[in-house]
Amino acid sequence: MSAGVPGTGDAPVALARRATAEPGSGGSGIVLAVETSCDETAVAVVEGGRRIRASVVASQVAMHAATGGIVPEVAARAHLRWIVPVFEEARAGAGIDDWSAIESVAVTYGPGLAGSLLVGINFAKTLAYVHGLPLVPVNHLEGHIYAAWLLDREEPERPAPPFPLIALVVSGGHTFLVEMQDHLDYRFLGQTVDDAAGEAFDKVGRLLGLPYPGGPAIMKAAAGAVDRDVQFPRAWMGESYDFSFSGLKTAARRAIEARGGTAALTSGSVAELAYGFQESVVDVLATKTGLAAERSGARAIILGGGVAANAVLRDRVAARAAALGIPLIVPRPALCTDNAAMIGAAGFFRTRAGTRASLDLDARPSLPLVG
Ligand code: KG4
Ligand code: ZN
């Protein structure tokens, strides 16, 4: 049975055992957040939806590099192995001994790998139950958006992203554009009809013989490209804000085959093809995001998700935002990829909006952002 969450179309839910702060009330604003949806075991403590008091991420990337991708059961077992040490480090880093300082426990309950999600959910439930705190379910995709609100521990204050804004989320599993008029309020503009942008980077990275994950490896290889004339197709999908990357992947495969296959590629060819591929992905993402911002009269653009760590994408969207006279807000790369601080930021706004899960909260592997 899956527990309902207001705003996701499910039945209303009961409150956790003993709520210390009611919706809308001025609790401490300190949220303990847990994220285990994919292959990063992460726990963070975030204050007021913005200030990171501690954020610890145990990455499984090196482990999954050996298999060229994620093996779900291996990922789930690694979460089980690391969740307690990661939590202990975050708690010590945040200097929190007194649980009365914590207003709520936020946890990613989807989308993601079921076995991975279950580890974090069960851990968060236990903390909420034992300490009598509200359990706040957070959508992983909402977390990627709210990473734009985060401030590092010592970072000077800066204004929060202004509404209305356009958010582009580009991760390993998702690629979509939304307009936000207010907190937690999303108007879906478009999404990928096939591969996510990060998935395309990972698949083409593998075809190019580059290490997993493909995104950072392609970015690095492309930076060294001498020949920059290679052209890959761009799928504009008419006037829509939808995206498609599977044709691009096929074009990359053909180009690699035309050069004798992966094993025959010179480092010059790898760089050249990586460059052409990255240009195609970035061009479509930046153009559509700029158009959406222009047409909607957005006051800011934000980027989130692992692919937002891509320096070329950041530069290209920054140029679009500058042309419109609005700011581009992108978290630093480590906050673009999966982490729990972003869940703590979204979790704060969810806490204040009264979103609660009961202790029978279940994983929702295919949870959409809206609906
Ligand atoms: O958000 P994330 O950490 O996990 C998901 O929720 O999917 O995103 C991971 C994805 C991977 O596909 C990875 O290749 C991509 O983000 N990525 C990048 C870069 N860094 C990570 N893609 C392009 N350029 C990068 N620098
Ligand atoms: Zn993610």
Side-chain angles (χ1 to χ4, degrees), residues 37-348:
S37 67
C38 191
D39 60 347
E40 321 280 359
T41 312
V43 178
V45 177
V46 177
E47 191 167 357
R50 299 207 70 192
R51 182 71 65 186
I52 299 174
R53 304 249 312 224
S55 176
V56 179
V57 179
S59 176
Q60 303 175 13
V61 163
M63 193 174 78
H64 297 304
T67 44
I70 298 165
V71 178
E73 188 184 322
V74 173
R77 287 174 188 272
H79 287 307
L80 206 50
R81 163 69 182 85
W82 289 105
I83 188 76
V84 173
V86 166
F87 161 72
E88 288 292 359
E89 193 180 327
R91 190 174 68 154
I96 286 178
D97 301 316
D98 181 358
W99 281 86
S100 66
I102 307 277
E103 182 168 340
S104 63
V105 178
V107 63
T108 306
Y109 74 117
L113 301 168
S116 289
L117 288 163
L118 291 174
V119 177
I121 291 171
N122 211 28
F123 188 74
K125 270 185 195 182
T126 307
L127 292 179
Y129 181 73
V130 169
H131 299 288
L133 293 168
L135 179 66
V136 176
V138 173
N139 185 311
H140 180 80
L141 305 172
E142 189 165 72
H144 275 307
I145 292 172
Y146 272 90
W149 269 257
L150 290 169
L151 295 168
D152 278 310
R153 213 182 157 116
E154 307 297 338
E155 189 178 341
E157 285 287 337
R158 63 177 148 76
F163 298 112
L165 60 80
I166 291 292
L168 172 71
V169 174
V170 270
S171 73
H174 297 86
T175 297
F176 61 85
L177 262 175
V178 288
E179 183 187 346
M180 288 178 79
Q181 292 285 348
D182 202 349
H183 281 296
L184 313 174
D185 172 12
Y186 307 102
R187 188 166 77 87
F188 221 82
L189 300 178
Q191 62 185 320
T192 182
V193 298
D194 41 54
D195 291 348
E199 194 179 353
F201 269 99
D202 293 340
K203 286 178 177 169
V204 171
R206 197 172 310 145
L207 290 171
L208 289 170
L210 294 169
Y212 171 87
I218 286 182
M219 183 174 90
K220 201 166 152 214
V226 177
D227 185 346
R228 302 191 162 189
D229 292 333
V230 63
Q231 282 290 328
F232 280 106
R234 280 131 172 88
W236 291 110
M237 309 298 285
E239 282 286 289
S240 80
Y241 292 118
D242 283 340
F243 303 95
S244 168
F245 298 109
S246 73
L248 177 58
K249 182 186 61 193
T250 307
R253 177 179 293 123
R254 291 221 182 90
I256 291 163
E257 279 162 6
R259 286 168 169 77
T262 303
L265 292 177
T266 62
S267 60
S269 286
V270 169
E272 177 195 350
L273 295 171
Y275 177 85
F277 165 80
Q278 179 173 266
E279 279 300 305
S280 175
V281 175
V282 166
D283 189 13
V284 175
L285 291 173
T287 303
K288 293 203 178 212
T289 304
L291 269 178
E294 186 177 352
R295 290 179 185 154
S296 67
R299 293 176 61 210
I301 295 175
I302 67 182
L303 295 183
V307 182
N310 186 284
V312 180
L313 176 64
R314 297 160 80 101
D315 287 352
R316 217 59 67 77
V317 180
R320 295 256 163 195
L324 295 172
I326 59 176
L328 168 69
I329 304 157
V330 199
R332 64 183 164 87
L335 295 174
C336 288
T337 49
D338 290 349
N339 65 87
M342 68 187 197
I343 303 303
F348 168 80

